[in-house]
Amino acid sequence: MPTVAIPSLMRNLTDGEDIVSVKGNTLREIINNLENRYPGTKEKLCDGDRIHPSVNVYINGVLTRTAMHDHVDEDAELHFLPAISGG
Amino acid sequence: MVRKLHVQTAINGETVEFLCEPRQSLLEVLRDELHLTGAKEGCNNGNCGACSVILDGRLVNSCLVLGVEIDGKSVETIEGVAEPEKLHPIQDAFLENAALQCGICTPGFIMSAKALLDKNPNPTEHEVRYWLAGNLCRCTGYDKIVRAVLDAASAT
Amino acid sequence: MSENKEYKVIGTRPIRHDGVDKVTGRAIYGADFQITGLLHGRVLRSPHAHAKIVSIDTSRAEALPGVKGIVTAQDLPAAEDKMADLGEGAVNLKYLCDNILASDKALYKGHAIAAVAATNPHIAGEACTLLDVEYEVLPPVLEVRQAMEPDAPILHDNIRTSSLGETGEKPSNVASHLQHKKGDIEKGFTEADVVIEREFVTGTVHQGYIEPHNATALYNPDGQLTVWCSTQGAFTVREQLAEILQYPISKIKVVPLEIGGGFGGKINVYIKPVAALLAKKTGKPVKVLMNRADVFEGTGPTPASYLTIKIGATNDGKITAAQTSLAFEAGAYPGSPVGAGAMCVFAPYNIENVLIDGYDVVVNKPKTAPYRAPGATNAAFGTETVIDELAETLNMDPLEIRLKNGAKEGDRRADGPVFPRIGFIETIEAAQEHPHYTSSNGKKHHGRGVASGFWFNIGLESSVTISVNPDGTVNLVEGSTDIGGTRASIAMQAAEVLGIPAESVNPTVVDTNSIGYTAVTGGSRTTYATGYAAYEAAQDVVKQMKARAAKLWDVDEDNIQFADGEFSSINGKEEQISFRDLSAKLSQTGGPVVGRATMNPAGAGGAFATHVVDVAVDEETGKVEILRYTATQDAGKAIHPSYVEGQIQGGVVQGIGWALNEEYIYNDEGEMTNASFLDYRMPTCLDLPMIDAVIVEVPNPGHPYGVRGVGEVPIVPPPAAIANAIYDAIGVRMTELPMSPDRILKALGKI
């Protein structure tokens, strides 16, 4: 099952949990399942049915431009970090 | 409209005539009137050296010289440094030493280095650094530029 | 994938493909572009740091002979207050547009207000002096702590502090707050025997590229907009133009000409949309060039910052906890690199308990832009200075404490991600073994300092096509603008695959109509990601060429192998043909071969550096001289070692400038008082020794040749390394950048 690292400013929604396992084969499924378990999380990560432009998705530690329908591996670890860019 | 003046000069050994406004700098004349765009504008006030050319044997920032001042004089620019089928040893040394990254300062550095080596064919590292201190490079940290000029000196 | 092997091209030092053009003055940079009928544009900029724009009267300027068109914010489509996704991160469209031409308020001195197109640049400049702008001057906010005060003047009435979805109640200059938390910070400090907490301040600094921004735009009567310019990314320019002008991407072509440095500063657009507006208004091509003062005052520098760093360690040097608060100046609109600073601040160390808070704060200075490892240098100045003080307190060697705590594969960063194979430890060991570090440095007023740094690097999209010529050479088409020799480092990766010399690859950087999407030359991604795309495109060529060889010899494709530039038939028929000879037979085996690849690789791999510096401090004048400098860095695999060394040396020297001289100096009215290269003092070659760049190679598992981006991390350690060396020399801890002579004398109590 993929694991999701919960940003520290969202842990008030996850009873303080920092890493949780969430079912799902796509980013959309993972975020929806996360929302079912911890209501309010989707609103922070998404702008409608897309990742919020100010949030970057990291899969296994690497910045990706994963779309909501993209497949996510069974053993993947996801992070949501503020969007930044390099020089 | 400002009345233009007639100027006759020699650029890279060729006689050139042009009209220019009294307020136009030599850099503007080279770039905009004569389309010799090898000299670059980095600051337009003599601080960066990207527009370096050699005027009657003397290294100058072309942004600090007026176009009308070169009447009857002789100007060397980056476009005249290489022979048709052979680069100048300084140009070869810059390539061999990877002494450029973005390359915008390179024409100015090559003109400065040429002016130095024309006068002092065997400079020390300190002399090279002193002479090139009027040319800014933001990419290389100067290490490879200084080495290239020292290499060019030993090659000639 | 990346075990040590013998390469034929990778690791050699060929002459760069664009070299001759660049040493003969023939390379065409943005400002060199010429086109018939060209008009020249000039931008009028705000003389005030903070002012309401009451009115703009253009009538006197319009009456000047030679003036062909004037534009103001009124000529921009009305911008919505919404987030626009520009590929390189999200931007509020209203802020983006207001930074191009101010609509209601001027938010910094140098903020663009209006622009004029005229028959020559002098007339355009004169016309700007005839534009009558009425301002209502407001008090400026010029420093991050001042801006965070509850009673500070507010820049934007609509900004409420956002904290991952939570929004504050009332207007604030703090646009956002972010946080990373790992372990139990209280417990971590309780476990420590020594805790050191310090405050640091860094100044606003500029990338300092030598080529000013430039743009030439042309609207054709069919609505096609073409923009010729120097930029780090033609596609990101296209995206920004489409958003700002609300114009279809299909009607915009961006042609990247040679670029004279960027370092992050030539990603955002400034005058490109202005040139487009003027071109539309006049129906003529318009060229707009910045002068040097425009560049300092009207483009994005990297932020000033205020940070606190608190680190605790046990007596044996194990770091148990680290906490920081990073407050970064965003400039006039939100979007400082505080997020990146927060990712990097403690990343080099494996620390169990970490708390990181970051604040993005607007002030009346130009909107900040990326600058080489944005945010990381500010952060490392604090962390690496406190670690030096910890080592001193614990009587440890400063490299030993870094070795003891240094991050390795499998360690988790405070912001979440787990490190893949990285080479931090190897850079420390390389520094320890270097003759510089083992030599003595005993003279009075001489000091030695060390510091390390991290930058995460990025991947993102790149596209490459390779077509085979009948003489065995190939043409490589790419979308990454070449700022420092990447034509060579990308071509070499294709050459290695094809078994041909680097010189047999002709790399060309093309416009946005001519190649698949390619992200910016930035984030230390180009040799990594575009190089990876070149590798894959070359593999595609090999695959197609194998099919041709199979056809030639009438064997099955599976029976063809390719090694060392030779195709051969295995299993039965003994046939062999070189890449070159097969290239000559393409027309008789089915026609041209074009390989292609688009990549969005996910394994950029982080970059680490460890630096050693010796300084001499003149206690009379406060001047710090750099005597010797050694920089070790993990490059993964150096494709062209000369240009890797060049990136390291250049980054170090920018870091030296940041450490010792460079800063925007403001008066009380918020005017930058040193907006020239004479007064904004960047290092010259007379200020420096040779910079010894030591390449360490711990291959990146995320790239076929093991490449890691190298461009950014070298700027990260220098300010801290130099501060530590100054302490070693004169016994004073410097906590403010730059460490200019006046600050040194103040620290010594002499003034």
Side-chain angles (χ1 to χ4, degrees):
Chain A
M1 208 184 299
T3 51
V4 176
I6 305 297
S8 58
L9 293 173
M10 260 172 59
R11 288 179 203 159
N12 57 333
L13 298 173
T14 62
D15 311 321
E17 289 292 328
D18 54 354
I19 295 181
V20 297
S21 294
V22 186
K23 267 193 197 155
N25 291 317
T26 64
L27 195 56
R28 180 182 286 115
E29 287 176 20
I30 292 170
I31 288 176
N32 286 341
N33 289 337
L34 188 68
E35 171 69 18
N36 288 341
R37 187 151 26 136
Y38 302 114
T41 48
K42 184 176 179 180
E43 189 193 336
K44 297 208 171 193
L45 300 174
C46 294
D47 175 13
D49 187 44
R50 56 172 291 194
I51 293 291
H52 199 282
S54 64
V55 173
N56 276 342
V57 182
Y58 288 67
I59 296 183
N60 298 326
V62 175
L63 174 63
T64 54
R65 289 211 187 133
T66 304
M68 293 294 270
H69 59 263
D70 279 350
H71 177 77
V72 176
D73 285 343
E74 182 71 356
D75 58 352
E77 184 180 273
L78 278 71
H79 289 89
F80 300 98
L81 299 177
I84 43 91
S85 60
Chain B
M1 275 302 203
V2 188
R3 199 171 67 85
K4 293 192 173 184
L5 300 175
H6 176 263
V7 177
Q8 182 173 336
T9 185
I11 295 182
N12 300 323
E14 304 268 343
T15 302
V16 173
E17 293 179 65
F18 58 86
L19 296 174
C20 82
E21 294 181 24
R23 64 184 171 184
Q24 285 184 289
S25 69
L26 172 56
L27 177 61
E28 272 184 86
V29 167
L30 289 173
R31 292 178 56 82
D32 296 341
E33 307 296 331
L34 305 175
H35 301 303
L36 293 168
T37 55
K40 306 300 181 189
E41 180 184 320
C43 66
N44 211 26
N45 55 12
N47 292 318
C48 78
C51 65
S52 300
V53 300
I54 297 172
L55 177 61
D56 277 355
R58 185 168 158 226
L59 181 69
V60 297
N61 288 312
S62 60
C63 70
L64 297 184
V65 176
L66 292 172
V68 292
E69 284 183 88
I70 67 166
D71 191 52
K73 295 187 177 168
S74 157
V75 180
E76 289 174 67
T77 73
I78 187 67
E79 286 86 354
V81 173
E83 290 171 39
E85 295 195 359
K86 192 166 165 288
L87 293 178
H88 188 279
I90 298 172
Q91 293 170 317
D92 274 328
F94 267 65
L95 293 179
E96 293 287 346
N97 283 276
L100 62 148
Q101 286 178 30
C102 80
I104 195 87
C105 70
T106 307
F109 268 99
I110 288 173
M111 296 315 291
S112 285
K114 183 169 186 298
L116 168 64
L117 298 187
D118 286 350
K119 281 189 181 35
N120 176 0
N122 287 301
T124 63
E125 181 189 331
H126 182 78
E127 284 168 336
V128 171
R129 287 186 182 277
Y130 185 83
W131 188 270
L132 297 181
N135 292 78
L136 293 177
C137 168
R138 193 58 160 175
C139 296
T140 65
Y142 305 102
D143 183 300
K144 292 184 189 300
I145 293 176
V146 174
R147 288 178 202 275
V149 176
L150 290 168
D151 269 12
S154 58
T156 47
Chain C
M1 273 220 312
S2 50
E3 73 275 16
N4 274 334
K5 23 180 158 165
E6 283 300 307
Y7 294 119
K8 286 209 161 64
V9 180
I10 304 296
T12 63
R13 301 174 186 243
I15 301 291
R16 60 192 283 171
H17 301 77
D18 53 338
V20 171
D21 279 348
K22 285 181 176 163
V23 298
T24 54
R26 292 199 182 109
I28 301 299
Y29 291 75
D32 304 337
F33 180 74
Q34 296 288 344
I35 188 169
T36 310
L38 190 63
L39 299 177
H40 298 267
R42 180 89 195 120
V43 174
L44 175 74
R45 295 176 182 279
S46 169
H48 306 296
H50 195 188
K52 269 189 190 143
I53 301 166
V54 178
S55 65
I56 303 174
D57 181 352
T58 59
S59 53
R60 286 201 303 145
E62 276 163 20
L64 185 72
V67 170
K68 300 293 179 188
I70 297 172
V71 295
T72 66
Q74 299 287 319
D75 295 277
L76 282 168
E80 274 181 80
D81 194 0
K82 67 154 195 179
M83 298 303 279
D85 187 357
L86 292 177
E88 274 296 292
V91 185
N92 181 303
L93 192 54
K94 171 110 172 58
Y95 298 155
L96 192 66
C97 290
D98 275 350
N99 201 35
I100 301 303
L101 286 167
S103 60
D104 47 354
K105 260 174 127 182
L107 289 167
Y108 52 95
K109 179 175 184 279
H111 198 159
I113 304 293
V116 179
T119 48
N120 77 44
H122 296 283
I123 295 173
E126 269 177 56
C128 282
T129 67
L130 300 174
L131 287 166
D132 297 305
V133 185
E134 190 187 334
Y135 297 97
E136 180 188 327
V137 179
L138 302 168
V141 188
L142 297 169
E143 197 269 335
V144 63
R145 281 166 291 180
Q146 184 201 350
M148 292 173 87
E149 293 289 334
D151 58 348
I154 294 290
L155 270 72
H156 301 273
D157 292 333
N158 62 337
I159 289 183
R160 310 280 188 279
T161 307
S162 101
S163 192
L164 201 76
E166 302 289 322
T167 306
E169 296 288 308
K170 59 182 180 55
S172 170
N173 292 323
V174 183
S176 64
H177 164 228
L178 64 93
Q179 188 181 70
H180 300 301
K181 202 189 256 178
K182 180 186 169 195
D184 180 342
I185 193 73
E186 299 299 330
K187 178 174 144 277
F189 282 120
T190 314
E191 286 166 5
D193 297 308
V194 184
V195 175
I196 293 174
E197 182 173 12
R198 297 282 176 261
E199 291 179 26
F200 299 89
V201 175
T202 75
T204 302
V205 297
H206 197 272
Q207 299 85 358
Y209 35 80
I210 306 300
E211 177 204 43
H213 290 251
N214 54 75
T216 305
L218 172 66
Y219 266 98
N220 271 346
D222 61 0
Q224 182 67 41
L225 168 64
T226 306
V227 177
W228 296 265
C229 59
S230 50
T231 172
Q232 289 180 240
F235 285 91
T236 187
V237 170
R238 191 180 70 170
E239 285 166 332
Q240 292 176 74
L241 288 172
E243 287 289 351
I244 292 164
L245 304 172
Q246 291 292 301
Y247 206 66
I249 269 186
S250 60
K251 290 203 169 284
I252 304 173
K253 178 167 86 173
V254 178
V255 186
L257 301 171
E258 296 302 326
I259 171 171
F263 315 107
K266 287 183 185 157
I267 298 172
N268 296 342
V269 300
Y270 301 97
I271 51 176
K272 295 175 182 89
V274 174
L277 290 174
L278 288 170
K280 191 170 190 185
K281 199 150 212 173
T282 59
K284 294 267 174 64
V286 179
K287 184 193 269 188
V288 184
L289 304 179
M290 285 196 184
N291 64 28
R292 184 51 51 183
D294 295 341
V295 173
F296 277 118
E297 297 184 330
T299 72
T302 211
S305 56
Y306 165 76
L307 43 145
T308 59
I309 300 275
K310 181 180 177 185
I311 305 179
T314 56
N315 281 328
D316 63 351
K318 178 73 196 151
I319 298 174
T320 57
Q323 183 176 355
T324 183
S325 164
L326 307 166
F328 279 31
E329 292 178 1
Y333 301 98
S336 75
V338 69
M343 287 166 74
C344 295
V345 58
F346 298 130
Y349 305 103
N350 184 35
I351 309 171
E352 213 168 296
N353 307 293
V354 181
L355 180 60
I356 298 165
D357 284 288
Y359 301 90
D360 184 41
V361 184
V362 293
V363 295
N364 290 113
K365 294 183 183 177
K367 162 75 178 73
T368 55
Y371 176 24
R372 207 167 201 154
T377 306
N378 310 49
F381 175 55
T383 303
E384 295 293 311
T385 305
V386 170
I387 289 195
D388 197 69
E389 199 174 340
L390 269 177
E392 185 205 6
T393 311
L394 296 169
N395 206 17
M396 281 180 85
D397 175 276
L399 289 179
E400 277 302 322
I401 196 169
R402 287 173 169 84
L403 258 190
K404 192 175 176 84
N405 295 283
K408 301 182 195 69
E409 182 176 2
D411 290 343
R412 183 179 291 279
R413 287 188 350 226
D415 53 310
V418 173
F419 278 119
R421 181 73 173 97
I422 48 173
F424 181 34
I425 299 297
E426 286 81 354
T427 68
I428 303 172
E429 289 168 347
Q432 280 180 318
E433 290 156 13
H434 195 278
H436 181 173
Y437 201 66
T438 55
S439 70
S440 81
N441 178 48
K443 277 195 191 163
K444 198 168 178 238
H445 307 311
H446 284 202
R448 174 169 299 163
V450 304
S452 296
F454 165 71
W455 180 252
F456 42 85
N457 294 339
I458 59 174
L460 304 183
E461 305 89 339
S462 285
S463 308
V464 165
T465 66
I466 297 176
S467 48
V468 181
N469 297 318
D471 61 355
T473 63
V474 300
N475 298 333
L476 185 155
V477 174
E478 54 175 304
S480 289
T481 43
D482 182 351
I483 317 188
T486 52
R487 281 184 182 88
S489 67
I490 290 161
M492 287 168 74
Q493 296 179 56
E496 185 71 44
V497 172
L498 300 174
I500 58 177
E503 294 76 12
S504 293
V505 181
N506 311 315
T508 309
V509 178
V510 296
D511 64 58
T512 53
N513 281 8
S514 310
I515 186 74
Y517 186 92
T518 298
V520 294
T521 295
S524 303
R525 63 174 292 279
T526 307
T527 298
Y528 167 71
T530 309
Y532 203 155
Y535 170 91
E536 290 293 345
Q539 295 288 0
D540 188 21
V541 167
V542 168
K543 186 164 167 278
Q544 295 179 51
M545 298 277 278
K546 276 183 176 173
R548 301 306 176 88
K551 210 181 240 181
L552 206 59
W553 299 328
D554 197 20
V555 298
D556 196 75
E557 264 179 65
D558 297 342
N559 290 338
I560 307 291
Q561 79 175 18
F562 179 68
D564 298 329
E566 298 279 335
F567 294 90
S568 52
S569 164
I570 47 175
N571 301 336
K573 266 190 172 174
E574 291 285 313
E575 298 275 9
Q576 196 167 3
I577 189 167
S578 67
F579 180 86
R580 185 193 167 115
D581 289 345
L582 185 55
S583 300
K585 294 180 189 298
L586 294 183
S587 61
Q588 66 212 64
T589 54
V593 164
V594 179
R596 65 188 173 91
T598 69
M599 297 290 294
N600 187 357
F608 286 89
T610 298
H611 293 188
V612 183
V613 60
D614 291 355
V615 302
V617 183
D618 185 331
E619 293 201 22
E620 294 292 313
T621 63
K623 184 178 190 299
V624 176
E625 188 185 350
I626 306 292
L627 300 172
R628 186 172 183 181
Y629 206 107
T630 303
T632 71
Q633 185 176 322
D634 175 18
K637 177 71 196 168
I639 299 293
H640 192 312
S642 297
Y643 287 99
V644 173
E645 291 159 6
Q647 288 293 324
I648 296 173
Q649 291 160 340
V652 164
V653 167
Q654 286 186 319
I656 290 172
W658 194 339
L660 295 179
N661 301 310
E662 294 178 33
E663 68 177 317
Y664 278 42
I665 298 169
Y666 283 91
N667 64 17
D668 291 344
E669 282 73 47
E671 295 163 357
M672 182 184 182
T673 58
N674 60 332
S676 77
F677 274 149
L678 186 65
D679 299 314
Y680 181 90
R681 179 67 167 76
M682 307 199 311
T684 73
C685 62
L686 194 56
D687 301 320
L688 299 160
M690 294 295 185
I691 309 294
D692 193 352
V694 179
I695 299 171
V696 176
E697 293 185 323
V698 177
N700 172 17
H703 183 279
Y705 297 126
V707 170
R708 293 176 197 276
V710 296
E712 290 172 286
V713 77
I715 200 173
V716 180
I722 293 166
N724 296 337
I726 291 170
Y727 174 75
D728 190 41
I730 58 171
V732 177
R733 288 274 173 206
M734 299 301 294
T735 57
E736 193 167 347
L737 295 182
M739 299 174 283
S740 46
D742 58 321
R743 291 206 177 95
I744 298 277
L745 291 178
K746 269 183 207 148
L748 285 168
K750 297 206 167 180
I751 55 171

